[in-house]
């Protein structure tokens, strides 16, 4: 590649980065509004709340070794033909409810999943690449912050779909007490806002 081509390529990359930053800023208000309305509605769904409460009871005593083992199992199952943990999670009423809700958004929401208080998947509309979200911003900046927390990720282009998306995460709370019990994350196609 010639010197001029390299300089041109660097200039194009710099412009793309500037546009990406502007895109994230341009959508913050709309994504925040979506978090407070539609995504909050998903988080208040009694089927999802009940599933999180039930899983919290089951996973309360899990240590990091158990969490890591489950996450490793999930990651192995992603590319395997036999997927007992993934299928069990996708087969719940809560997962079916999230999938139905996602399908009614006409592509605005590209993924949605809920976690328990440990950051382990409870329900999801589609398969995630991992089972434990507890070490990621989507969990630590929602559940980890408190009841009214909203985390909005940078807008990034999905490699497989070429769609520009942001992940919006909020804390799921117990409707009776307001205590945080988990989180919910939705992938948003910003081109459909």
């Amino acid at each position: 590649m010639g010197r001029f081509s390299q300089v041109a390529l660097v200039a194009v990359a710099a412009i793309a980065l500037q546009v990406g930053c502007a895109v994230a800023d341009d959508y913050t208000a709309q994504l925040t509004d979506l978090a407070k309305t539609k995504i909050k509605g998903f988080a208040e769904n009694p089927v999802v709340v009940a599933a999180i409460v039930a899983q919290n009871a089951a996973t309360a005593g899990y240590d990091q070794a158990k969490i890591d083992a489950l996450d490793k199992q999930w990651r192995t199952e992603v590319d395997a033909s036999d997927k007992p943990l993934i299928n069990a999670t996708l087969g719940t009423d809560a997962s079916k409810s999230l999938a139905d809700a996602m399908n009614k958004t006409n592509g605005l929401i590209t993924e949605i999943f809920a976690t328990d208080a440990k950051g382990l998947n409870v329900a999801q509309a589609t398969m995630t690449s991992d089972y434990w979200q507890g070490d990621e911003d989507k969990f630590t900046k929602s559940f980890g912050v408190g009841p009214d927390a909203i985390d909005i990720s940078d807008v990034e282009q999905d490699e497989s779909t070429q769609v520009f998306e942001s992940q919006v995460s909020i804390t799921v709370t117990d409707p009776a007490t307001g205590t945080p019990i988990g989180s919910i994350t939705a992938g948003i196609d910003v081109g459909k806002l």
Side-chain angles (χ1 to χ4, degrees):
M1 181 182 299
R3 175 85 176 127
F4 178 76
S5 297
Q6 290 175 334
V7 171
L9 185 60
V10 169
V12 169
I15 291 169
L17 284 173
Q18 290 174 348
V19 169
C21 292
V23 170
D25 291 342
D26 289 346
Y27 293 106
T28 299
Q30 290 170 289
L31 293 169
T32 300
D33 183 58
L34 195 60
K36 292 178 178 180
T37 56
K38 187 173 288 296
I39 299 169
K40 184 176 182 183
F42 301 149
E44 293 174 343
N45 178 327
V47 174
V48 173
V49 170
I52 293 172
V53 168
Q55 185 161 308
N56 279 342
T59 62
Y62 286 11
D63 62 8
Q64 193 59 48
K66 175 72 172 175
I67 291 168
D68 290 343
L70 286 167
D71 192 50
K72 182 179 180 183
Q73 176 185 348
W74 185 280
R75 289 172 187 259
T76 300
E77 288 181 14
V78 166
D79 295 320
S81 58
D82 189 28
K83 303 178 186 318
L85 181 57
I86 292 173
N87 290 338
T89 305
L90 287 171
T92 66
D93 288 342
S95 288
K96 292 173 187 173
S97 177
L98 290 179
D100 184 52
M102 183 184 80
N103 291 335
K104 291 178 180 173
T105 68
N106 296 319
L108 173 66
I109 296 178
T110 59
E111 67 175 334
I112 187 165
F113 55 90
T115 71
D116 65 11
K118 299 276 187 182
L120 296 168
N121 292 351
V122 173
Q124 55 206 84
T126 58
M127 182 175 59
T128 57
S129 59
D130 59 350
Y131 186 61
W132 184 49
Q133 315 302 324
D135 62 340
E136 299 178 34
D137 285 352
K138 65 186 86 171
F139 181 78
T140 61
K141 291 185 177 180
S142 60
F143 177 83
V145 172
D148 297 319
I150 298 171
D151 178 58
I152 299 173
S153 75
D154 290 336
V155 175
E156 296 180 356
Q157 188 173 21
D158 183 280
E159 290 182 25
S160 61
T161 64
Q162 299 301 304
V163 170
F164 286 94
E165 299 178 339
S166 174
Q167 286 189 331
V168 178
S169 304
I170 65 170
T171 304
V172 179
T173 58
D174 181 316
T177 66
T179 304
I181 58 171
S183 70
I184 198 159
T185 298
I188 309 299
D189 177 349
V190 297
K192 296 195 183 242
L193 287 173

